Amino acid sequence: DAGVTQSPTHLIKTRGQQVTLRCSPKSGHDTVSWYQQALGQGPQFIFQYYEEEERQRGNFPDRFSGHQFPNYSSELNVNALLLGDSALYLCASSLLAGGSRDTQYFGPGTRLTVL
Amino acid sequence: DQQVKQNSPSLSVQEGRISILNCDYTNSMFDYFLWYKKYPAEGPTFLISISSIKDKNEDGRFTVFLNKSAKHLSLHIVPSQPGDSAVYFCAASSSISSGSARQLTFGSGTQLTVLP
């Protein structure tokens, strides 16, 4: 049973560029959430996708956008990159009607460095 | 404004002894709490959770205690093992409208080191 997978593992970009990160949820899961983890901090919620729609959004600017595909996989896009966007980006999947309080399972993350 | 706080950045414990990790929260709407463990270069791994209708939940060596009046929860690991050395995150969530899964609010983590 494949867990949550993310690609790429590492990415280096320069300020002003755009980046796309990808996530495949755990088998059987239908909801994908994205988190940003800066160094020395806990993960911060960016947004969540279910049924190909953004359902919830954290306190992140519009430069952060996403998409969910019919196979439940998801992309996170960040435009006009800033140095402060350097972080570990985590994808988490869950089952909306799982009955287990939506326990979220995380992927290994994508380490983004903005120079 | 940090709604979930882990005030101890690090904790060292001898193998075989008890590890106690603490977490405080400020949002009264939180009704579900989770602990995750994170090794370097890996994503957080779910450990144990507790609903606000309970004050204790046990799973093997791991027990989570919830004190709603103090807005405090703790994770006990007994006995501690060197493989438990990792960063532990406390997370909390609140009920939301249907059609959305819960979003998690995390603390900043505690680095646990279990010494052989």
Side-chain angles (χ1 to χ4, degrees):
Chain A
D1 177 22
V4 180
T5 59
Q6 292 185 243
S7 63
T9 306
H10 295 89
L11 208 48
I12 299 176
K13 293 283 188 180
T14 56
R15 278 180 298 175
Q17 284 190 310
Q18 179 264 342
V19 69
T20 298
L21 311 181
R22 294 176 177 82
C23 170
S24 291
K26 183 176 166 67
S27 178
H29 284 182
D30 57 11
T31 302
V32 172
S33 302
W34 287 92
Y35 293 82
Q36 180 195 66
Q37 185 181 11
L39 204 59
Q41 297 182 23
Q44 269 199 292
F45 176 75
I46 302 175
F47 44 52
Q48 179 188 95
Y49 278 84
Y50 171 68
E51 291 187 330
E52 303 177 49
E53 288 185 15
E54 184 182 293
R55 298 292 179 151
Q56 293 187 79
R57 189 178 185 90
N59 190 23
F60 279 81
D62 292 344
R63 298 187 297 110
F64 289 77
S65 63
H67 190 77
Q68 186 179 35
F69 299 94
N71 67 352
Y72 308 117
S73 67
S74 176
E75 287 181 350
L76 163 66
N77 302 293
V78 187
N79 294 322
L81 284 167
L82 304 174
L83 296 180
D85 295 332
S86 295
L88 180 68
Y89 288 85
L90 294 162
C91 168
S93 74
S94 56
L95 181 62
L96 188 66
S100 59
R101 297 291 185 128
D102 311 325
T103 297
Q104 296 185 20
Y105 295 86
F106 284 82
T110 294
R111 173 70 62 186
L112 173 65
T113 302
V114 182
L115 302 176
Chain B
D1 176 32
Q2 266 192 299
Q3 298 187 66
V4 178
K5 295 181 184 178
Q6 293 177 257
N7 292 319
S8 299
S10 63
L11 174 68
S12 290
V13 170
Q14 210 66 37
E15 180 179 5
R17 306 293 290 266
I18 184 172
S19 295
I20 301 176
L21 297 100
N22 294 303
C23 178
D24 298 295
Y25 61 96
T26 57
N27 189 339
S28 301
M29 299 302 291
F30 288 147
D31 63 355
Y32 190 59
F33 304 89
L34 308 91
W35 285 94
Y36 284 84
K37 176 171 73 173
K38 188 177 185 303
Y39 295 117
E42 293 184 14
T45 302
F46 170 71
L47 263 180
I48 192 169
S49 61
I50 187 167
S51 162
S52 60
I53 62 173
K54 294 186 173 182
D55 54 20
K56 176 183 173 182
N57 189 26
E58 218 168 333
D59 184 1
R61 295 187 298 114
F62 302 91
T63 303
V64 56
F65 295 91
L66 176 63
N67 182 333
K68 289 185 289 295
S69 60
K71 294 192 177 66
H72 177 84
L73 66 155
S74 60
L75 174 68
H76 292 209
I77 306 173
V78 184
S80 301
Q81 300 172 354
D84 295 330
S85 297
V87 177
Y88 288 77
F89 289 101
C90 165
S93 69
S94 55
S95 297
I96 48 175
S97 57
S98 62
S100 296
R102 293 164 173 261
Q103 71 179 70
L104 299 178
T105 301
F106 283 84
S108 54
T110 297
Q111 170 70 57
L112 173 65
T113 303
V114 180
L115 305 167

